[in-house]
Amino acid sequence: MIEIDRLEKSFGTNRVLDGISLTVRQGQVVCVIGPSGSGKSTLLRCVNGLESYEGGEVRVSGRRVDRRSPEIRAIRREVTMVFQRFNLFAHRTALENVTEGPIYAAGESRASAEAHARELLAQVGLTGKEAAYPSQLSGGQQQRVAIARALAMRPKAVLFDEPTSALDPELVGEVLTVMRDLARQGMTMAVVTHEMGFAREVADHVVFMDRGRVVEEGPPAELLTAPREPRTQDFLRRVL
Ligand code: ADP
Ligand code: MG
């Protein structure tokens, strides 16, 4: 579903992605871990065309991701993103935040978008909060609205960029539960996270990135418990 092949990306003279290759197959959950500044967010942003890149290639369902191609809007609907900061529209209700994309970007009718949004808000445990504004919701609830919004486009895959890092510790679990359920339903997911418990339990594949490269990758039981590379060992010692 998502194929990243020797991807290269620089900001000025700073080479942020240095030949990254990574595949996410349909129904797979791939967790990306690594120190701050290693290029994880940039990698996800290249996948749905929020960033351009200079070398290598990103393909979604076999189509090349190119920020300037006319197909990019369709690709962004196919692969949606959940950010660390929820980025909800402050002056729109939870329901309106979820229906905005389907109505204005995908041309869905209001009635159909609202019916779907109510289902999605129920799925993330927010029945009864449809009319609430973001300021009236906890961080965990806001992030669950953001997940419902990402699902509203009926994506084939969802990218998560540290979705629990901005949350108070007691609110992390409710968001991870929603993500775990989504994975169980077969959603294809790429998740940048520092939640090693989640990675161990939910990921099919874990990738450790450092300085724009994949240092080591493998099934969670191997990579997280018996890493081979010193840099992976050092990182895991610090986060576990
Ligand atoms: P991570 O998500 O792993 O913390 P990022 O992808 O955010 O890493 O950043 C990787 C590197 O790219 C960092 O050195 C960061 O400063 C740099 N960077 C990220 N975005 C930009 C940008 N828009 N302009 C310039 N440098 C950037
Ligand atoms: Mg980041």
Side-chain angles (χ1 to χ4, degrees):
M1 176 133 306
I2 298 170
E3 295 165 284
I4 301 167
D5 183 25
R6 288 165 293 175
L7 182 62
E8 292 173 17
K9 163 78 183 170
S10 299
F11 289 109
T13 57
N14 184 11
R15 171 156 291 214
V16 174
L17 300 177
D18 194 11
I20 291 253
S21 297
L22 181 72
T23 301
V24 186
R25 282 182 254 282
Q26 187 171 352
Q28 228 186 6
V29 177
V30 174
C31 283
V32 179
I33 62 174
S36 177
S38 57
K40 306 180 299 295
S41 294
T42 305
L43 178 70
L44 291 190
R45 292 169 60 81
C46 285
V47 172
N48 75 346
L50 293 175
E51 295 285 357
S52 59
Y53 51 90
E54 297 93 46
E57 195 168 69
V58 179
R59 287 182 300 274
V60 167
S61 305
R63 281 141 53 221
R64 184 187 158 87
V65 177
D66 175 348
R67 271 183 85 210
R68 287 167 298 265
S69 103
E71 276 191 310
I72 193 67
R73 289 164 144 274
I75 289 175
R76 284 202 190 118
R77 290 203 290 270
E78 253 172 61
V79 181
T80 54
M81 191 143 160
V82 174
F83 301 90
Q84 181 174 352
R85 305 244 158 233
F86 335 120
N87 300 341
L88 297 177
F89 298 112
H91 302 292
R92 301 240 197 289
T93 63
L95 189 80
E96 288 164 351
N97 267 281
V98 179
T99 57
E100 183 93 8
I103 293 173
Y104 297 102
E108 201 172 324
S109 77
R110 180 170 301 274
S112 141
E114 285 190 3
H116 189 212
R118 285 178 201 284
E119 272 171 39
L120 291 170
L121 287 171
Q123 183 183 333
V124 301
L126 291 175
T127 297
K129 297 292 184 190
E130 293 83 359
Y133 287 90
S135 62
Q136 300 170 312
L137 298 171
S138 73
Q141 291 172 328
Q142 289 181 56
Q143 190 60 303
R144 287 185 281 142
V145 173
I147 293 173
R149 178 178 60 178
L151 296 174
M153 304 304 270
R154 304 175 202 274
K156 291 185 179 162
V158 182
L159 312 175
F160 292 85
D161 191 3
E162 299 197 34
T164 60
S165 295
L167 298 176
D168 291 334
E170 75 273 20
L171 304 178
V172 168
E174 64 193 56
V175 172
L176 294 181
T177 297
V178 166
M179 292 169 63
R180 196 180 290 117
D181 289 346
L182 197 56
R184 287 211 183 105
Q185 290 164 25
M187 179 58 81
T188 306
M189 297 163 55
V191 184
V192 172
T193 186
H194 292 294
E195 294 293 333
M196 297 303 147
F198 176 86
R200 185 175 296 126
E201 190 195 336
V202 181
D204 298 293
H205 192 75
V206 181
V207 175
F208 173 65
M209 261 180 83
D210 192 18
R211 291 182 221 152
R213 296 187 180 195
V214 173
V215 172
E216 186 169 356
E217 59 183 308
E222 281 172 27
L223 189 117
L224 299 176
T225 51
R228 276 172 284 119
E229 297 292 329
R231 271 193 282 170
T232 319
Q233 293 166 359
D234 186 52
F235 174 77
L236 289 173
R237 252 197 305 278
R238 278 181 283 129
V239 296
L240 285 176

